[in-house]
mmCIF file with all atom_site columns, all heavy atoms in Angstrom:
data_model
loop_
_atom_site.group_PDB
_atom_site.id
_atom_site.type_symbol
_atom_site.label_atom_id
_atom_site.label_alt_id
_atom_site.label_comp_id
_atom_site.label_asym_id
_atom_site.label_entity_id
_atom_site.label_seq_id
_atom_site.pdbx_PDB_ins_code
_atom_site.Cartn_x
_atom_site.Cartn_y
_atom_site.Cartn_z
_atom_site.occupancy
_atom_site.B_iso_or_equiv
_atom_site.pdbx_formal_charge
_atom_site.auth_seq_id
_atom_site.auth_comp_id
_atom_site.auth_asym_id
_atom_site.auth_atom_id
_atom_site.pdbx_PDB_model_num
ATOM 1  N N   . SER A 1 77 ? 116.383 81.581 118.720 1.00 53.00 ? 94  SER A N   1
ATOM 2  C CA  . SER A 1 77 ? 115.105 82.181 118.340 1.00 53.00 ? 94  SER A CA  1
ATOM 3  C C   . SER A 1 77 ? 114.365 81.373 117.286 1.00 53.00 ? 94  SER A C   1
ATOM 4  O O   . SER A 1 77 ? 113.186 81.620 117.033 1.00 53.00 ? 94  SER A O   1
ATOM 5  C CB  . SER A 1 77 ? 115.332 83.614 117.834 1.00 53.00 ? 94  SER A CB  1
ATOM 6  O OG  . SER A 1 77 ? 116.185 83.615 116.717 1.00 53.00 ? 94  SER A OG  1
ATOM 7  N N   . ASN A 1 78 ? 115.020 80.399 116.650 1.00 59.00 ? 95  ASN A N   1
ATOM 8  C CA  . ASN A 1 78 ? 114.363 79.573 115.628 1.00 59.00 ? 95  ASN A CA  1
ATOM 9  C C   . ASN A 1 78 ? 114.387 78.096 116.007 1.00 59.00 ? 95  ASN A C   1
ATOM 10 O O   . ASN A 1 78 ? 114.376 77.219 115.138 1.00 59.00 ? 95  ASN A O   1
ATOM 11 C CB  . ASN A 1 78 ? 115.052 79.777 114.275 1.00 59.00 ? 95  ASN A CB  1
ATOM 12 C CG  . ASN A 1 78 ? 114.839 81.158 113.712 1.00 59.00 ? 95  ASN A CG  1
ATOM 13 O OD1 . ASN A 1 78 ? 113.825 81.443 113.094 1.00 59.00 ? 95  ASN A OD1 1
ATOM 14 N ND2 . ASN A 1 78 ? 115.817 82.037 113.942 1.00 59.00 ? 95  ASN A ND2 1
ATOM 15 N N   . ALA A 1 79 ? 114.418 77.823 117.332 1.00 58.00 ? 96  ALA A N   1
ATOM 16 C CA  . ALA A 1 79 ? 114.578 76.450 117.805 1.00 58.00 ? 96  ALA A CA  1
ATOM 17 C C   . ALA A 1 79 ? 113.504 75.514 117.272 1.00 58.00 ? 96  ALA A C   1
ATOM 18 O O   . ALA A 1 79 ? 113.773 74.405 116.799 1.00 58.00 ? 96  ALA A O   1
ATOM 19 C CB  . ALA A 1 79 ? 114.595 76.431 119.338 1.00 58.00 ? 96  ALA A CB  1
ATOM 20 N N   . GLY A 1 80 ? 112.233 75.945 117.364 1.00 58.00 ? 97  GLY A N   1
ATOM 21 C CA  . GLY A 1 80 ? 111.152 75.076 116.915 1.00 58.00 ? 97  GLY A CA  1
ATOM 22 C C   . GLY A 1 80 ? 111.245 74.739 115.439 1.00 58.00 ? 97  GLY A C   1
ATOM 23 O O   . GLY A 1 80 ? 111.059 73.598 115.024 1.00 58.00 ? 97  GLY A O   1
ATOM 24 N N   . ARG A 1 81 ? 111.542 75.760 114.625 1.00 61.00 ? 98  ARG A N   1
ATOM 25 C CA  . ARG A 1 81 ? 111.670 75.540 113.185 1.00 61.00 ? 98  ARG A CA  1
ATOM 26 C C   . ARG A 1 81 ? 112.818 74.598 112.855 1.00 61.00 ? 98  ARG A C   1
ATOM 27 O O   . ARG A 1 81 ? 112.697 73.698 112.033 1.00 61.00 ? 98  ARG A O   1
ATOM 28 C CB  . ARG A 1 81 ? 111.880 76.884 112.494 1.00 61.00 ? 98  ARG A CB  1
ATOM 29 C CG  . ARG A 1 81 ? 112.067 76.782 110.983 1.00 61.00 ? 98  ARG A CG  1
ATOM 30 C CD  . ARG A 1 81 ? 112.344 78.145 110.398 1.00 61.00 ? 98  ARG A CD  1
ATOM 31 N NE  . ARG A 1 81 ? 112.758 78.053 109.008 1.00 61.00 ? 98  ARG A NE  1
ATOM 32 C CZ  . ARG A 1 81 ? 113.260 79.058 108.317 1.00 61.00 ? 98  ARG A CZ  1
ATOM 33 N NH1 . ARG A 1 81 ? 113.416 80.233 108.890 1.00 61.00 ? 98  ARG A NH1 1
ATOM 34 N NH2 . ARG A 1 81 ? 113.629 78.889 107.056 1.00 61.00 ? 98  ARG A NH2 1
ATOM 35 N N   . LEU A 1 82 ? 113.962 74.783 113.525 1.00 66.00 ? 99  LEU A N   1
ATOM 36 C CA  . LEU A 1 82 ? 115.122 73.926 113.263 1.00 66.00 ? 99  LEU A CA  1
ATOM 37 C C   . LEU A 1 82 ? 114.856 72.496 113.695 1.00 66.00 ? 99  LEU A C   1
ATOM 38 O O   . LEU A 1 82 ? 115.235 71.548 113.005 1.00 66.00 ? 99  LEU A O   1
ATOM 39 C CB  . LEU A 1 82 ? 116.355 74.485 113.986 1.00 66.00 ? 99  LEU A CB  1
ATOM 40 C CG  . LEU A 1 82 ? 116.884 75.817 113.462 1.00 66.00 ? 99  LEU A CG  1
ATOM 41 C CD1 . LEU A 1 82 ? 117.964 76.359 114.394 1.00 66.00 ? 99  LEU A CD1 1
ATOM 42 C CD2 . LEU A 1 82 ? 117.438 75.669 112.052 1.00 66.00 ? 99  LEU A CD2 1
ATOM 43 N N   . ALA A 1 83 ? 114.225 72.351 114.867 1.00 60.00 ? 100 ALA A N   1
ATOM 44 C CA  . ALA A 1 83 ? 113.930 70.996 115.343 1.00 60.00 ? 100 ALA A CA  1
ATOM 45 C C   . ALA A 1 83 ? 113.051 70.251 114.351 1.00 60.00 ? 100 ALA A C   1
ATOM 46 O O   . ALA A 1 83 ? 113.159 69.031 114.182 1.00 60.00 ? 100 ALA A O   1
ATOM 47 C CB  . ALA A 1 83 ? 113.250 71.067 116.710 1.00 60.00 ? 100 ALA A CB  1
ATOM 48 N N   . GLY A 1 84 ? 112.182 70.984 113.668 1.00 59.00 ? 101 GLY A N   1
ATOM 49 C CA  . GLY A 1 84 ? 111.285 70.361 112.714 1.00 59.00 ? 101 GLY A CA  1
ATOM 50 C C   . GLY A 1 84 ? 111.939 69.925 111.422 1.00 59.00 ? 101 GLY A C   1
ATOM 51 O O   . GLY A 1 84 ? 111.309 69.258 110.593 1.00 59.00 ? 101 GLY A O   1
ATOM 52 N N   . THR A 1 85 ? 113.204 70.285 111.206 1.00 62.00 ? 102 THR A N   1
ATOM 53 C CA  . THR A 1 85 ? 113.894 69.883 109.976 1.00 62.00 ? 102 THR A CA  1
ATOM 54 C C   . THR A 1 85 ? 114.517 68.505 110.080 1.00 62.00 ? 102 THR A C   1
ATOM 55 O O   . THR A 1 85 ? 115.126 68.033 109.127 1.00 62.00 ? 102 THR A O   1
ATOM 56 C CB  . THR A 1 85 ? 114.988 70.901 109.608 1.00 62.00 ? 102 THR A CB  1
ATOM 57 O OG1 . THR A 1 85 ? 116.022 70.861 110.605 1.00 62.00 ? 102 THR A OG1 1
ATOM 58 C CG2 . THR A 1 85 ? 114.424 72.305 109.512 1.00 62.00 ? 102 THR A CG2 1
ATOM 59 N N   . CYS A 1 86 ? 114.437 67.870 111.262 1.00 53.00 ? 103 CYS A N   1
ATOM 60 C CA  . CYS A 1 86 ? 114.986 66.521 111.390 1.00 53.00 ? 103 CYS A CA  1
ATOM 61 C C   . CYS A 1 86 ? 114.029 65.661 112.217 1.00 53.00 ? 103 CYS A C   1
ATOM 62 O O   . CYS A 1 86 ? 113.356 66.154 113.118 1.00 53.00 ? 103 CYS A O   1
ATOM 63 C CB  . CYS A 1 86 ? 116.373 66.545 112.044 1.00 53.00 ? 103 CYS A CB  1
ATOM 64 S SG  . CYS A 1 86 ? 116.448 67.408 113.596 1.00 53.00 ? 103 CYS A SG  1
ATOM 65 N N   . ARG A 1 87 ? 113.975 64.398 111.901 1.00 47.00 ? 104 ARG A N   1
ATOM 66 C CA  . ARG A 1 87 ? 113.034 63.495 112.559 1.00 47.00 ? 104 ARG A CA  1
ATOM 67 C C   . ARG A 1 87 ? 113.627 62.901 113.841 1.00 47.00 ? 104 ARG A C   1
ATOM 68 O O   . ARG A 1 87 ? 112.909 62.400 114.687 1.00 47.00 ? 104 ARG A O   1
ATOM 69 C CB  . ARG A 1 87 ? 112.644 62.363 111.600 1.00 47.00 ? 104 ARG A CB  1
ATOM 70 C CG  . ARG A 1 87 ? 111.838 62.839 110.405 1.00 47.00 ? 104 ARG A CG  1
ATOM 71 C CD  . ARG A 1 87 ? 111.331 61.664 109.576 1.00 47.00 ? 104 ARG A CD  1
ATOM 72 N NE  . ARG A 1 87 ? 112.422 60.890 109.008 1.00 47.00 ? 104 ARG A NE  1
ATOM 73 C CZ  . ARG A 1 87 ? 113.003 61.170 107.845 1.00 47.00 ? 104 ARG A CZ  1
ATOM 74 N NH1 . ARG A 1 87 ? 112.617 62.227 107.154 1.00 47.00 ? 104 ARG A NH1 1
ATOM 75 N NH2 . ARG A 1 87 ? 113.979 60.421 107.380 1.00 47.00 ? 104 ARG A NH2 1
ATOM 76 N N   . GLY A 1 88 ? 114.944 62.936 113.951 1.00 45.00 ? 105 GLY A N   1
ATOM 77 C CA  . GLY A 1 88 ? 115.596 62.374 115.131 1.00 45.00 ? 105 GLY A CA  1
ATOM 78 C C   . GLY A 1 88 ? 115.853 63.431 116.182 1.00 45.00 ? 105 GLY A C   1
ATOM 79 O O   . GLY A 1 88 ? 115.174 64.449 116.250 1.00 45.00 ? 105 GLY A O   1
ATOM 80 N N   . GLU A 1 89 ? 116.877 63.205 117.012 1.00 48.00 ? 106 GLU A N   1
ATOM 81 C CA  . GLU A 1 89 ? 117.201 64.134 118.080 1.00 48.00 ? 106 GLU A CA  1
ATOM 82 C C   . GLU A 1 89 ? 117.900 65.369 117.518 1.00 48.00 ? 106 GLU A C   1
ATOM 83 O O   . GLU A 1 89 ? 118.747 65.278 116.642 1.00 48.00 ? 106 GLU A O   1
ATOM 84 C CB  . GLU A 1 89 ? 118.105 63.465 119.118 1.00 48.00 ? 106 GLU A CB  1
ATOM 85 C CG  . GLU A 1 89 ? 117.435 62.319 119.857 1.00 48.00 ? 106 GLU A CG  1
ATOM 86 C CD  . GLU A 1 89 ? 118.363 61.724 120.889 1.00 48.00 ? 106 GLU A CD  1
ATOM 87 O OE1 . GLU A 1 89 ? 118.593 62.359 121.931 1.00 48.00 ? 106 GLU A OE1 1
ATOM 88 O OE2 . GLU A 1 89 ? 118.872 60.620 120.646 1.00 48.00 ? 106 GLU A OE2 1
#
Side-chain angles (χ1 to χ4, degrees):
S94 60
N95 292 277
R98 178 183 170 191
L99 292 171
T102 67
C103 53
R104 293 187 297 273
E106 295 181 73

